[in-house]
PDB file of all heavy atoms in Angstrom:
ATOM      1  N   THR B  69      19.234  28.066  -1.733  1.00  0.00           N
ATOM      2  CA  THR B  69      20.361  28.081  -0.855  1.00  0.00           C
ATOM      3  C   THR B  69      21.665  28.038  -1.640  1.00  0.00           C
ATOM      4  O   THR B  69      21.713  27.355  -2.649  1.00  0.00           O
ATOM      5  CB  THR B  69      20.330  26.826   0.065  1.00  0.00           C
ATOM      6  OG1 THR B  69      19.082  26.797   0.799  1.00  0.00           O
ATOM      7  CG2 THR B  69      21.444  26.824   1.062  1.00  0.00           C
ATOM      8  N   LYS B  70      22.654  28.745  -1.111  1.00  0.00           N
ATOM      9  CA  LYS B  70      23.984  28.714  -1.730  1.00  0.00           C
ATOM     10  C   LYS B  70      25.007  28.889  -0.620  1.00  0.00           C
ATOM     11  O   LYS B  70      24.839  29.771   0.222  1.00  0.00           O
ATOM     12  CB  LYS B  70      24.130  29.769  -2.804  1.00  0.00           C
ATOM     13  CG  LYS B  70      25.460  29.723  -3.503  1.00  0.00           C
ATOM     14  CD  LYS B  70      25.462  30.493  -4.778  1.00  0.00           C
ATOM     15  CE  LYS B  70      24.824  29.715  -5.917  1.00  0.00           C
ATOM     16  NZ  LYS B  70      25.030  30.358  -7.240  1.00  0.00           N
ATOM     17  N   SER B  71      26.019  28.072  -0.654  1.00  0.00           N
ATOM     18  CA  SER B  71      27.050  28.096   0.406  1.00  0.00           C
ATOM     19  C   SER B  71      28.403  28.483  -0.164  1.00  0.00           C
ATOM     20  O   SER B  71      28.704  28.219  -1.351  1.00  0.00           O
ATOM     21  CB  SER B  71      27.166  26.715   1.075  1.00  0.00           C
ATOM     22  OG  SER B  71      26.013  26.427   1.808  1.00  0.00           O
ATOM     23  N   ASN B  72      29.180  29.112   0.678  1.00  0.00           N
ATOM     24  CA  ASN B  72      30.569  29.486   0.349  1.00  0.00           C
ATOM     25  C   ASN B  72      31.323  29.322   1.640  1.00  0.00           C
ATOM     26  O   ASN B  72      31.425  30.208   2.465  1.00  0.00           O
ATOM     27  CB  ASN B  72      30.619  30.923  -0.149  1.00  0.00           C
ATOM     28  CG  ASN B  72      32.028  31.369  -0.451  1.00  0.00           C
ATOM     29  OD1 ASN B  72      32.987  30.591  -0.294  1.00  0.00           O
ATOM     30  ND2 ASN B  72      32.183  32.618  -0.914  1.00  0.00           N
ATOM     31  N   GLY B  73      31.865  28.094   1.857  1.00  0.00           N
ATOM     32  CA  GLY B  73      32.583  27.814   3.049  1.00  0.00           C
ATOM     33  C   GLY B  73      31.619  27.846   4.287  1.00  0.00           C
ATOM     34  O   GLY B  73      30.636  27.205   4.314  1.00  0.00           O
ATOM     35  N   ARG B  74      31.990  28.709   5.261  1.00  0.00           N
ATOM     36  CA  ARG B  74      31.154  28.821   6.456  1.00  0.00           C
ATOM     37  C   ARG B  74      29.961  29.776   6.255  1.00  0.00           C
ATOM     38  O   ARG B  74      29.213  29.997   7.187  1.00  0.00           O
ATOM     39  CB  ARG B  74      32.028  29.313   7.612  1.00  0.00           C
ATOM     40  CG  ARG B  74      33.122  28.298   8.017  1.00  0.00           C
ATOM     41  CD  ARG B  74      33.952  28.855   9.199  1.00  0.00           C
ATOM     42  NE  ARG B  74      34.723  30.035   8.803  1.00  0.00           N
ATOM     43  CZ  ARG B  74      34.326  31.298   9.138  1.00  0.00           C
ATOM     44  NH1 ARG B  74      33.272  31.495   9.860  1.00  0.00           N
ATOM     45  NH2 ARG B  74      35.070  32.290   8.767  1.00  0.00           N
ATOM     46  N   TYR B  75      29.815  30.312   5.071  1.00  0.00           N
ATOM     47  CA  TYR B  75      28.717  31.216   4.772  1.00  0.00           C
ATOM     48  C   TYR B  75      27.647  30.490   3.986  1.00  0.00           C
ATOM     49  O   TYR B  75      27.979  29.870   2.977  1.00  0.00           O
ATOM     50  CB  TYR B  75      29.202  32.432   3.956  1.00  0.00           C
ATOM     51  CG  TYR B  75      30.295  33.267   4.591  1.00  0.00           C
ATOM     52  CD1 TYR B  75      31.613  33.149   4.218  1.00  0.00           C
ATOM     53  CD2 TYR B  75      29.979  34.171   5.596  1.00  0.00           C
ATOM     54  CE1 TYR B  75      32.613  33.926   4.784  1.00  0.00           C
ATOM     55  CE2 TYR B  75      30.962  34.961   6.156  1.00  0.00           C
ATOM     56  CZ  TYR B  75      32.254  34.823   5.772  1.00  0.00           C
ATOM     57  OH  TYR B  75      33.245  35.591   6.340  1.00  0.00           O
ATOM     58  N   THR B  76      26.409  30.571   4.451  1.00  0.00           N
ATOM     59  CA  THR B  76      25.269  29.983   3.710  1.00  0.00           C
ATOM     60  C   THR B  76      24.187  31.050   3.572  1.00  0.00           C
ATOM     61  O   THR B  76      23.697  31.568   4.532  1.00  0.00           O
ATOM     62  CB  THR B  76      24.703  28.767   4.464  1.00  0.00           C
ATOM     63  OG1 THR B  76      25.743  27.773   4.569  1.00  0.00           O
ATOM     64  CG2 THR B  76      23.524  28.176   3.662  1.00  0.00           C
ATOM     65  N   ALA B  77      23.825  31.283   2.301  1.00  0.00           N
ATOM     66  CA  ALA B  77      22.770  32.254   2.021  1.00  0.00           C
ATOM     67  C   ALA B  77      21.497  31.504   1.594  1.00  0.00           C
ATOM     68  O   ALA B  77      21.594  30.459   0.941  1.00  0.00           O
ATOM     69  CB  ALA B  77      23.204  33.203   0.912  1.00  0.00           C
ATOM     70  N   THR B  78      20.374  32.026   2.042  1.00  0.00           N
ATOM     71  CA  THR B  78      19.079  31.469   1.638  1.00  0.00           C
ATOM     72  C   THR B  78      18.266  32.564   0.950  1.00  0.00           C
ATOM     73  O   THR B  78      18.462  33.757   1.217  1.00  0.00           O
ATOM     74  CB  THR B  78      18.284  30.936   2.831  1.00  0.00           C
ATOM     75  OG1 THR B  78      17.936  32.004   3.687  1.00  0.00           O
ATOM     76  CG2 THR B  78      19.101  29.917   3.609  1.00  0.00           C
ATOM     77  N   LEU B  79      17.388  32.144   0.095  1.00  0.00           N
ATOM     78  CA  LEU B  79      16.529  33.114  -0.596  1.00  0.00           C
ATOM     79  C   LEU B  79      15.119  32.560  -0.689  1.00  0.00           C
ATOM     80  O   LEU B  79      14.908  31.422  -1.121  1.00  0.00           O
ATOM     81  CB  LEU B  79      17.079  33.372  -1.984  1.00  0.00           C
ATOM     82  CG  LEU B  79      16.188  34.213  -2.911  1.00  0.00           C
ATOM     83  CD1 LEU B  79      16.054  35.658  -2.365  1.00  0.00           C
ATOM     84  CD2 LEU B  79      16.778  34.282  -4.318  1.00  0.00           C
ATOM     85  N   ASP B  80      14.147  33.389  -0.287  1.00  0.00           N
ATOM     86  CA  ASP B  80      12.744  33.063  -0.503  1.00  0.00           C
ATOM     87  C   ASP B  80      12.149  34.177  -1.388  1.00  0.00           C
ATOM     88  O   ASP B  80      11.847  35.271  -0.930  1.00  0.00           O
ATOM     89  CB  ASP B  80      11.995  33.029   0.817  1.00  0.00           C
ATOM     90  CG  ASP B  80      10.566  32.580   0.689  1.00  0.00           C
ATOM     91  OD1 ASP B  80       9.954  32.793  -0.395  1.00  0.00           O
ATOM     92  OD2 ASP B  80       9.986  32.032   1.662  1.00  0.00           O
ATOM     93  N   ALA B  81      12.084  33.889  -2.686  1.00  0.00           N
ATOM     94  CA  ALA B  81      11.662  34.882  -3.654  1.00  0.00           C
ATOM     95  C   ALA B  81      10.158  35.231  -3.482  1.00  0.00           C
ATOM     96  O   ALA B  81       9.755  36.293  -3.908  1.00  0.00           O
ATOM     97  CB  ALA B  81      11.905  34.398  -5.069  1.00  0.00           C
ATOM     98  N   ASP B  82       9.409  34.356  -2.861  1.00  0.00           N
ATOM     99  CA  ASP B  82       7.950  34.647  -2.674  1.00  0.00           C
ATOM    100  C   ASP B  82       7.764  35.687  -1.590  1.00  0.00           C
ATOM    101  O   ASP B  82       6.955  36.635  -1.772  1.00  0.00           O
ATOM    102  CB  ASP B  82       7.233  33.324  -2.282  1.00  0.00           C
ATOM    103  CG  ASP B  82       7.167  32.370  -3.402  1.00  0.00           C
ATOM    104  OD1 ASP B  82       7.131  32.801  -4.577  1.00  0.00           O
ATOM    105  OD2 ASP B  82       7.131  31.130  -3.151  1.00  0.00           O
ATOM    106  N   THR B  83       8.482  35.560  -0.499  1.00  0.00           N
ATOM    107  CA  THR B  83       8.359  36.566   0.590  1.00  0.00           C
ATOM    108  C   THR B  83       9.381  37.678   0.450  1.00  0.00           C
ATOM    109  O   THR B  83       9.391  38.594   1.231  1.00  0.00           O
ATOM    110  CB  THR B  83       8.559  35.887   1.966  1.00  0.00           C
ATOM    111  OG1 THR B  83       9.903  35.310   2.036  1.00  0.00           O
ATOM    112  CG2 THR B  83       7.516  34.794   2.167  1.00  0.00           C
ATOM    113  N   LYS B  84      10.295  37.565  -0.540  1.00  0.00           N
ATOM    114  CA  LYS B  84      11.320  38.570  -0.796  1.00  0.00           C
ATOM    115  C   LYS B  84      12.221  38.748   0.452  1.00  0.00           C
ATOM    116  O   LYS B  84      12.428  39.874   0.921  1.00  0.00           O
ATOM    117  CB  LYS B  84      10.693  39.889  -1.227  1.00  0.00           C
ATOM    118  CG  LYS B  84       9.924  39.760  -2.522  1.00  0.00           C
ATOM    119  CD  LYS B  84       9.434  41.107  -3.069  1.00  0.00           C
ATOM    120  CE  LYS B  84       8.734  40.927  -4.408  1.00  0.00           C
ATOM    121  NZ  LYS B  84       8.257  42.206  -5.003  1.00  0.00           N
ATOM    122  N   GLN B  85      12.681  37.615   0.903  1.00  0.00           N
ATOM    123  CA  GLN B  85      13.572  37.645   2.076  1.00  0.00           C
ATOM    124  C   GLN B  85      14.783  36.792   1.799  1.00  0.00           C
ATOM    125  O   GLN B  85      14.713  35.758   1.118  1.00  0.00           O
ATOM    126  CB  GLN B  85      12.873  37.108   3.305  1.00  0.00           C
ATOM    127  CG  GLN B  85      11.695  37.965   3.737  1.00  0.00           C
ATOM    128  CD  GLN B  85      10.978  37.390   4.989  1.00  0.00           C
ATOM    129  OE1 GLN B  85      10.913  36.173   5.144  1.00  0.00           O
ATOM    130  NE2 GLN B  85      10.550  38.289   5.856  1.00  0.00           N
ATOM    131  N   SER B  86      15.910  37.202   2.354  1.00  0.00           N
ATOM    132  CA  SER B  86      17.156  36.435   2.269  1.00  0.00           C
ATOM    133  C   SER B  86      17.841  36.477   3.618  1.00  0.00           C
ATOM    134  O   SER B  86      17.630  37.379   4.416  1.00  0.00           O
ATOM    135  CB  SER B  86      18.055  37.012   1.194  1.00  0.00           C
ATOM    136  OG  SER B  86      19.305  36.319   1.173  1.00  0.00           O
ATOM    137  N   SER B  87      18.634  35.461   3.891  1.00  0.00           N
ATOM    138  CA  SER B  87      19.403  35.453   5.103  1.00  0.00           C
ATOM    139  C   SER B  87      20.839  34.954   4.802  1.00  0.00           C
ATOM    140  O   SER B  87      21.034  34.236   3.810  1.00  0.00           O
ATOM    141  CB  SER B  87      18.769  34.547   6.142  1.00  0.00           C
ATOM    142  OG  SER B  87      18.792  33.191   5.725  1.00  0.00           O
ATOM    143  N   LEU B  88      21.748  35.392   5.640  1.00  0.00           N
ATOM    144  CA  LEU B  88      23.139  34.924   5.534  1.00  0.00           C
ATOM    145  C   LEU B  88      23.479  34.340   6.851  1.00  0.00           C
ATOM    146  O   LEU B  88      23.494  35.050   7.866  1.00  0.00           O
ATOM    147  CB  LEU B  88      24.099  36.077   5.161  1.00  0.00           C
ATOM    148  CG  LEU B  88      25.559  35.699   5.042  1.00  0.00           C
ATOM    149  CD1 LEU B  88      25.774  34.815   3.807  1.00  0.00           C
ATOM    150  CD2 LEU B  88      26.446  36.935   4.956  1.00  0.00           C
ATOM    151  N   HIS B  89      23.798  33.054   6.879  1.00  0.00           N
ATOM    152  CA  HIS B  89      24.141  32.339   8.122  1.00  0.00           C
ATOM    153  C   HIS B  89      25.634  32.131   8.129  1.00  0.00           C
ATOM    154  O   HIS B  89      26.226  31.601   7.152  1.00  0.00           O
ATOM    155  CB  HIS B  89      23.405  30.997   8.139  1.00  0.00           C
ATOM    156  CG  HIS B  89      23.597  30.268   9.436  1.00  0.00           C
ATOM    157  ND1 HIS B  89      22.954  30.648  10.629  1.00  0.00           N
ATOM    158  CD2 HIS B  89      24.346  29.198   9.771  1.00  0.00           C
ATOM    159  CE1 HIS B  89      23.289  29.838  11.576  1.00  0.00           C
ATOM    160  NE2 HIS B  89      24.161  28.930  11.098  1.00  0.00           N
ATOM    161  N   ILE B  90      26.264  32.497   9.222  1.00  0.00           N
ATOM    162  CA  ILE B  90      27.720  32.319   9.424  1.00  0.00           C
ATOM    163  C   ILE B  90      27.924  31.280  10.495  1.00  0.00           C
ATOM    164  O   ILE B  90      27.385  31.420  11.646  1.00  0.00           O
ATOM    165  CB  ILE B  90      28.416  33.620   9.792  1.00  0.00           C
ATOM    166  CG1 ILE B  90      28.121  34.713   8.731  1.00  0.00           C
ATOM    167  CG2 ILE B  90      29.931  33.420   9.933  1.00  0.00           C
ATOM    168  CD1 ILE B  90      28.659  36.059   9.064  1.00  0.00           C
ATOM    169  N   THR B  91      28.614  30.223  10.173  1.00  0.00           N
ATOM    170  CA  THR B  91      28.840  29.115  11.080  1.00  0.00           C
ATOM    171  C   THR B  91      30.226  29.213  11.702  1.00  0.00           C
ATOM    172  O   THR B  91      31.192  29.582  11.060  1.00  0.00           O
ATOM    173  CB  THR B  91      28.720  27.791  10.340  1.00  0.00           C
ATOM    174  OG1 THR B  91      27.439  27.725   9.722  1.00  0.00           O
ATOM    175  CG2 THR B  91      28.894  26.631  11.266  1.00  0.00           C
ATOM    176  N   ALA B  92      30.294  28.890  12.991  1.00  0.00           N
ATOM    177  CA  ALA B  92      31.578  28.841  13.711  1.00  0.00           C
ATOM    178  C   ALA B  92      32.392  30.094  13.433  1.00  0.00           C
ATOM    179  O   ALA B  92      33.482  30.055  12.839  1.00  0.00           O
ATOM    180  CB  ALA B  92      32.359  27.593  13.285  1.00  0.00           C
ATOM    181  N   SER B  93      31.865  31.217  13.876  1.00  0.00           N
ATOM    182  CA  SER B  93      32.472  32.507  13.538  1.00  0.00           C
ATOM    183  C   SER B  93      33.939  32.623  13.951  1.00  0.00           C
ATOM    184  O   SER B  93      34.364  32.013  14.953  1.00  0.00           O
ATOM    185  CB  SER B  93      31.668  33.640  14.152  1.00  0.00           C
ATOM    186  OG  SER B  93      31.692  33.490  15.568  1.00  0.00           O
ATOM    187  N   GLN B  94      34.673  33.402  13.186  1.00  0.00           N
ATOM    188  CA  GLN B  94      36.064  33.664  13.491  1.00  0.00           C
ATOM    189  C   GLN B  94      36.296  35.174  13.594  1.00  0.00           C
ATOM    190  O   GLN B  94      35.464  35.957  13.109  1.00  0.00           O
ATOM    191  CB  GLN B  94      36.957  33.097  12.321  1.00  0.00           C
ATOM    192  CG  GLN B  94      36.780  31.622  12.111  1.00  0.00           C
ATOM    193  CD  GLN B  94      37.598  31.080  10.951  1.00  0.00           C
ATOM    194  OE1 GLN B  94      38.238  31.832  10.226  1.00  0.00           O
ATOM    195  NE2 GLN B  94      37.586  29.797  10.754  1.00  0.00           N
ATOM    196  N   LEU B  95      37.343  35.560  14.212  1.00  0.00           N
ATOM    197  CA  LEU B  95      37.655  36.968  14.382  1.00  0.00           C
ATOM    198  C   LEU B  95      37.685  37.680  13.047  1.00  0.00           C
ATOM    199  O   LEU B  95      37.270  38.866  12.948  1.00  0.00           O
ATOM    200  CB  LEU B  95      38.958  37.167  15.149  1.00  0.00           C
ATOM    201  CG  LEU B  95      39.009  36.627  16.586  1.00  0.00           C
ATOM    202  CD1 LEU B  95      40.411  36.849  17.177  1.00  0.00           C
ATOM    203  CD2 LEU B  95      37.931  37.261  17.448  1.00  0.00           C
ATOM    204  N   SER B  96      38.140  37.016  12.036  1.00  0.00           N
ATOM    205  CA  SER B  96      38.263  37.599  10.683  1.00  0.00           C
ATOM    206  C   SER B  96      36.914  37.833  10.025  1.00  0.00           C
ATOM    207  O   SER B  96      36.793  38.477   8.972  1.00  0.00           O
ATOM    208  CB  SER B  96      39.135  36.728   9.778  1.00  0.00           C
ATOM    209  OG  SER B  96      38.541  35.453   9.674  1.00  0.00           O
TER     210      SER B  96
END
Side-chain angles (χ1 to χ4, degrees):
Chain B
T69 303
K70 183 164 279 190
S71 292
N72 178 0
R74 295 179 296 102
Y75 301 102
T76 299
T78 66
L79 174 64
D80 185 333
D82 291 331
T83 62
K84 298 187 177 181
Q85 295 179 326
S86 175
S87 66
L88 180 69
H89 187 74
I90 303 175
T91 303
S93 61
Q94 300 176 357
L95 297 178
S96 59

